[in-house]
Amino acid sequence: MRGEPQASDRGAGAPAPRSTPLTIVSGAVAGDDLETVARTASDALGRPVAIAIPALGGPVCWPAGAIDHMRLRSVAMLAEHAIGGGDLQPPEGFADAIAVSIGEQAVGILVAEGAGLASDERAWLEAGAAAAAVTALMRESHEGGVENSKRALLRALHAG
């Protein structure tokens, strides 16, 4: 209509994309590293998060320094325990621990600090664990180049 202000003039621009647990997995497929995965999960949950995948080095924590060295060590020990087939009882002071798995094999864990999680928060933690697994797969096969990384991811997804 003539004389009618445009949507952008009224302050009604395009809606901002909404962050969902799938966002964190999409980021990992696009190439996010473990620190970015931890940051995204931590921001979504509003609490510190740590990811321990021993094959990739020491635990990654976000916000950096939010979890002290001794507690991160207990997270790393729990990751080793999970890889060996042990149960995932979160260390004291952590709300929950989720296995980071590739297929049926646990390769590490993701933990959130604090008290218990609501179901929507647990969905973010589970998505963070899936994203960490994708990141581990992509990094593991990265030596062969980006195309090989993508193929390795697709093969792993196909294999379950």
Side-chain angles (χ1 to χ4, degrees), residues 13 20 66 69 78 95 131 137:
T20 67
H69 178 72
L78 181 60
L137 267 174

Side-chain angles (χ1 to χ4, degrees), residues 79-80 82-85 99-108 133 160:
E80 292 285 354
I83 290 168
V100 174
S101 298
I102 298 174
E104 297 294 317
Q105 177 62 47
V107 296

Side-chain angles (χ1 to χ4, degrees), residues 53-95:
I53 301 177
L56 300 181
V60 174
C61 170
W62 192 266
I67 301 173
D68 69 56
H69 178 72
M70 292 303 292
R71 294 181 67 223
L72 283 177
R73 189 172 171 184
S74 69
V75 170
M77 289 171 44
L78 181 60
E80 292 285 354
H81 183 70
I83 290 168
D87 64 336
L88 281 178
Q89 184 63 35
E92 186 174 331
F94 290 95

Side-chain angles (χ1 to χ4, degrees), residues 3 13 19 27 30-31 40 48 55 66 72-73 92 96-97 111 125 149 153 160:
S19 187
T40 305
L72 283 177
R73 189 172 171 184
E92 186 174 331
D96 207 347
V111 296
L125 206 60
S149 295
L153 174 61

Side-chain angles (χ1 to χ4, degrees), residues 24-33 134 138 146 150 153:
I24 195 169
V25 178
S26 299
V29 170
D32 285 352
D33 60 9
V134 168
M138 297 288 274
V146 174
K150 290 178 181 176
L153 174 61

